[in-house]
Structures are given as structure tokens and as C-alpha cells.
């Protein structure tokens, strides 16, 4: 999923401090799971802002809506009739949701209420870690299911580097060396021969290096 | 045990302090409460294992939020006691009452009343 973290509320206050009608817009998907932008967080942020403005002696109307998703037309359309009522919308969906909102509702300022961080997994409640950088050309089949692009600090494809020590990465002694994990997994799969094969230079044109990307699937288009 | 505690305190019963969420405490302040105190079981004695630990973390979050919005994080506090400790309950109730008297009313309530 897309992992996001809460933005300091002071920063959000700064965005909307002069507005009179504000909509806090949550998303029911990834950001709900990582407890940054779901219905619950919408309620907390709205309540915080209401108290802030009241304490400033300002009369500001703050509404709360949480959509199923903010990255699909059909759900974003659900606020079509009410969006114009607001001076500003704070979207606490990921950056995709914020941008899609901004594209669709061109004349209303949309502000991000979270910091979108990475594609990752929930290791345990309150701990999310990165697993994929959407390089567009997945290598996991040859690396034992462990991604060197997102998990190796140097993104090297024929690792480990000389900094790997006791299974940890040289940038942080608490961080597993991705290549140690890869070797361990290949060993467990009895596929260490694969480790001997030199991984050819990766075509990075499918990664961000090739500019903004798109996926076109004519087979599902009508 | 007919113990007295300040009449300013309204008790809201919950099955476990783990049920008390950040939004519940914020709503109380939004509606004009001068203070909120969460009283849970002793740490390590939670029937649901971690309910009172969750509550403590949430109380800390609310303290931060109240500081940010200018109401003051001291208005919310967590206490732990066992259900057999009536006198301690009365003592904590008195303590929070005195703390709130010292801090004065919730500034939001005053401003809301002014606006109305
Ligand atoms: S190789 Fe690329 S697509 Fe596969 S997990 Fe790593 S970053 Fe993601
Ligand atoms: S120590 Fe391991 S994870 Fe860190 S940069 Fe080197 S190969 Fe990559």
C-alpha cells in the first residue's frame, strides 16, 4: 500500500488560517490502514482545527467527508455538488488523491494533510517499512522475492557492497542489508546458483528516470 | 465507603479505557469540558491486556493537540488504580478538580458563549 504519515497540524493551520469554510477530505484505502488519512483522522483533524479557530475567536465552518478513494473519478464526483461551498479543501489522502482533487476541482485550493512516504507494508501496528519503488520492471523473480531497488541503500543489483556487515547495511546498523536477505533467501530456496549469475544492467527507462510514467492497457479500455 | 468527590466531575463509564479514543476526548473539549481525566486499571492488570496502555498514548496525543490549539495539554490526564481503591479514586478526582480550578475554564467555552 501507499504509506503516508501525518503532517504536523501547525503546517496545516498555516495553509488554511485565512479560510472561512474548510472541508477535510479523507480516503478509505491505504491512508486509513496506515492511520494517517482515514475517517478517524479526518475527525481528529477537523476537531483540532475547530478548536484552534474558536480559540482564535474566528468563526470557521469545518466539514468532514471520507471518500472510498480519491484516486478514482467516480468517488471524487461524489463531492461535485458541495465542493464549491468551500474556500479550501484539506485532503488527507496520499499525494495522488490530493493531485486528482486539484485537477478535478480546479478553482478550489486543495492542500495536503499528510506526507506521502512510500510503498510499503505494515510490519506491526505503528511500523511501516518500504518494499517497492515502482521501478516498472520487477526483478523479484531473480532476487528471491526481496527488492534491491527499494531495500538496498545503493540500489545495487549485484550485491552486497563492501559495507555489508553482520547482515546489516552500512548506512544504519539497525537496517538489514538487502543483499544479505537476498542471499539468505536464495540459500533457503536452494537457488544459490542464481546468485552467481550476473544481473545485467537494468533498463531504468521504466523507472522515474524516464520521466512521468503511464500504464496503457488497451485490452481493458472501451 | 461513602466517599465524597467534587460534584464538578461527570463520570462516563466505558468497558475499558482502551475504548477511549482521541476523538472522544477532543469532542469533550469542543463541547466545552474544562478537563478530562481518564481513569484506567493498573498497568499490567488490563483485562484486555493493553487497553490502558493505548489510553495513555491517546491521552498524550490529546495533550499535544491541546497545546497546539492553545487550550493547554494539562487539562487532560490519565490515572491508574484498581477497582478496589475507592479512596484513591476520590483523591484523584479531587486532584484533577483542583488542577482545573487552577487552570480556569476552557477558553473555547468562553469564546463560544461570547459568539452566541
Ligand atoms: S524490483 Fe521494482 S517493481 Fe519490483 S519490488 Fe523492486 S522496485 Fe518494486
Ligand atoms: S550494505 Fe547491503 S543494503 Fe546497504 S548498501 Fe550495501 S548492499 Fe545495499
Amino acid at each position: 500500500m501507499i504509506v503516508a504519515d501525518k503532517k504536523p497540524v501547525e503546517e496545516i493551520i498555516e495553509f488554511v488560517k485565512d479560510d472561512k469554510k474548510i472541508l477535510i477530505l479523507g480516503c478509505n484505502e491505504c491512508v486509513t490502514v496506515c492511520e494517517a488519512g482515514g475517517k478517524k483522522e479526518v475527525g481528529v483533524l477537523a476537531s483540532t482545527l475547530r478548536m484552534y479557530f474558536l480559540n482564535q475567536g474566528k468563526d470557521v465552518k469545518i466539514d468532514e467527508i471520507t471518500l472510498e478513494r480519491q484516486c478514482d473519478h467516480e468517488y471524487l464526483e461524489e463531492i461535485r455538488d458541495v465542493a464549491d461551498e468551500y474556500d479550501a479543501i484539506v485532503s488527507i489522502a496520499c499525494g495522488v488523491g490530493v493531485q486528482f482533487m486539484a485537477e478535478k476541482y480546479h478553482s478550489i485550493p486543495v492542500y495536503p494533510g499528510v506526507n506521502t512516504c512510500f510503498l510499503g507494508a505494515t510490519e506491526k501496528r505503528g511500523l511501516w517499512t518500504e518494499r517497492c519503488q515502482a521501478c516498472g520492471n520487477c526483478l523479484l523473480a531473480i532476487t528471491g522475492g526481496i527488492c534491491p531497488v527499494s531495500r538496498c541503500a545503493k540500489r545495487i543489483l549485484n550485491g552486497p557492497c563492501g559495507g555489508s556487515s553482520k547482515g546489516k547495511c552500512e548506512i544504519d546498523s539497525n537496517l538489514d542489508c538487502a543483499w544479505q536477505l537476498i542471499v539468505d533467501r536464495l540459500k533457503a530456496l536452494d537457488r544459490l546458483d542464481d546468485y552467481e549469475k550476473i544481473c545485467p544492467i537494468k533498463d531504468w527507462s521504466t523507472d522515474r528516470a524516464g520521466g512521468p510514467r503511464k500504464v496503457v492497457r488497451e485490452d481493458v479500455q472501451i | 465507603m461513602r466517599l465524597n468527590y467534587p460534584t464538578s466531575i461527570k463520570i462516563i463509564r466505558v468497558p475499558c479505557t482502551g475504548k477511549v479514543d482521541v476523538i472522544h476526548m477532543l469532542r469533550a473539549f469542543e463541547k466545552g469540558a474544562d478537563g478530562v481525566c481518564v481513569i484506567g486499571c493498573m498497568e499490567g492488570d488490563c483485562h484486555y491486556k493493553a487497553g490502558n496502555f493505548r489510553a495513555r498514548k491517546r491521552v498524550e496525543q490529546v495533550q499535544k493537540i491541546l497545546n497546539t490549539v492553545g487550550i493547554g495539554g494539562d487539562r487532560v490526564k490519565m490515572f491508574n488504580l484498581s477497582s478496589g481503591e475507592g479512596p484513591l479514586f476520590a483523591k484523584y478526582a479531587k486532584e484533577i478538580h483542583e488542577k482545573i480550578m487552577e487552570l480556569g475554564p476552557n477558553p473555547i467555552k468562553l469564546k463560544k458563549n461570547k459568539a452566541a
Side-chain angles (χ1 to χ4, degrees):
Chain A
M1 67 174 163
I2 296 176
V3 179
D5 198 0
K6 286 187 170 180
K7 224 184 211 327
V9 71
E10 292 87 343
E11 214 179 301
I12 299 172
I13 289 173
E14 198 50 38
F15 298 149
V16 297
K17 63 180 189 307
D18 299 321
D19 296 315
K20 293 276 165 279
K21 284 190 89 182
I22 303 165
L23 174 65
I24 313 293
L25 195 64
C27 174
N28 254 340
E29 301 278 348
C30 312
V31 286
T32 295
V33 181
C34 60
E35 304 188 44
K39 194 172 179 191
K40 220 172 180 175
E41 290 75 30
V42 166
V44 170
L45 179 59
S47 176
T48 305
L49 290 178
R50 271 195 287 268
M51 287 197 274
Y52 168 80
F53 284 118
L54 267 173
N55 199 31
Q56 299 285 310
K58 289 186 186 163
D59 183 21
V60 177
K61 186 175 181 311
I62 295 168
D63 289 335
E64 309 169 20
I65 297 178
T66 301
L67 299 176
E68 198 51 40
R69 278 198 289 281
Q70 288 188 34
C71 50
D72 269 318
H73 289 294
E74 58 195 288
Y75 299 112
L76 271 188
E77 280 302 326
E78 288 173 9
I79 57 161
R80 177 65 64 195
D81 294 341
V82 296
D84 280 343
E85 290 172 23
Y86 299 97
D87 300 328
I89 297 177
V90 177
S91 162
I92 56 173
C94 72
V96 181
V98 179
Q99 290 184 64
F100 218 38
M101 267 297 306
E103 283 167 38
K104 253 181 133 51
Y105 298 98
H106 217 64
S107 55
I108 309 160
V110 180
Y111 300 111
V114 297
N115 290 323
T116 305
C117 301
F118 49 74
L119 303 182
T122 310
E123 289 212 19
K124 59 179 185 185
R125 193 162 174 204
L127 176 66
W128 294 274
T129 50
E130 186 165 19
R131 287 290 185 280
C132 174
Q133 288 191 346
C135 75
N137 188 0
C138 195
L139 291 168
L140 291 176
I142 55 168
T143 56
I146 289 145
C147 169
V149 178
S150 58
R151 300 185 67 185
C152 163
K154 296 178 186 136
R155 283 182 143 198
I156 49 178
L157 302 183
N158 293 288
C161 73
S164 179
S165 159
K166 298 194 184 97
K168 300 294 175 189
C169 173
E170 67 174 338
I171 67 154
D172 178 352
S173 57
N174 294 312
L175 186 73
D176 288 330
C177 164
W179 273 98
Q180 182 70 55
L181 298 177
I182 292 169
V183 170
D184 291 348
R185 183 97 210 285
L186 289 175
K187 209 184 279 174
L189 295 172
D190 202 16
R191 271 179 40 200
L192 262 186
D193 286 350
D194 285 0
Y195 178 60
E196 299 293 325
K197 294 179 198 148
I198 301 294
C199 178
I201 292 171
K202 185 170 162 59
D203 173 6
W204 289 102
S205 66
T206 56
D207 189 72
R208 248 296 295 176
R213 296 165 285 175
K214 58 169 117 170
V215 172
V216 184
R217 284 272 313 276
E218 281 173 5
D219 57 329
V220 292
Q221 287 178 356
I222 15 161
Chain B
M1 238 195 285
R2 292 192 179 273
L3 300 163
N4 287 323
Y5 64 89
T7 50
S8 58
I9 291 178
K10 266 197 202 128
I11 293 186
I12 299 171
R13 289 199 280 177
V14 288
C16 167
T17 46
K19 175 71 195 148
V20 183
D21 223 321
V22 171
I23 192 66
H24 299 133
M25 292 180 259
L26 292 183
R27 283 271 149 78
F29 286 103
E30 239 191 273
K31 288 187 171 174
D34 298 314
V36 170
C37 104
V38 179
I39 302 190
C41 299
M42 297 302 288
E43 291 188 354
D45 281 352
C46 177
H47 184 71
Y48 303 101
K49 288 206 170 113
N52 47 4
F53 289 113
R54 287 191 210 288
R56 180 168 293 278
K57 291 256 174 104
R58 291 171 186 157
V59 165
E60 284 165 11
Q61 283 182 51
V62 174
Q63 285 171 336
K64 263 195 214 147
I65 293 174
L66 295 184
N67 278 331
T68 308
V69 299
I71 298 177
D74 289 349
R75 292 179 182 279
V76 51
K77 201 166 171 180
M78 169 113 194
F79 294 100
N80 298 84
L81 47 71
S82 93
S83 54
E85 293 177 300
L88 198 57
F89 174 85
K91 181 177 167 272
Y92 287 157
K94 206 164 154 253
E95 197 180 312
I96 187 90
H97 171 81
E98 279 163 9
K99 180 82 201 166
I100 298 300
M101 291 307 277
E102 180 194 318
L103 293 170
N106 175 349
I108 281 185
K109 183 170 63 180
L110 297 177
K111 279 165 190 153
K112 242 188 184 170
N113 290 346
K114 234 190 228 168

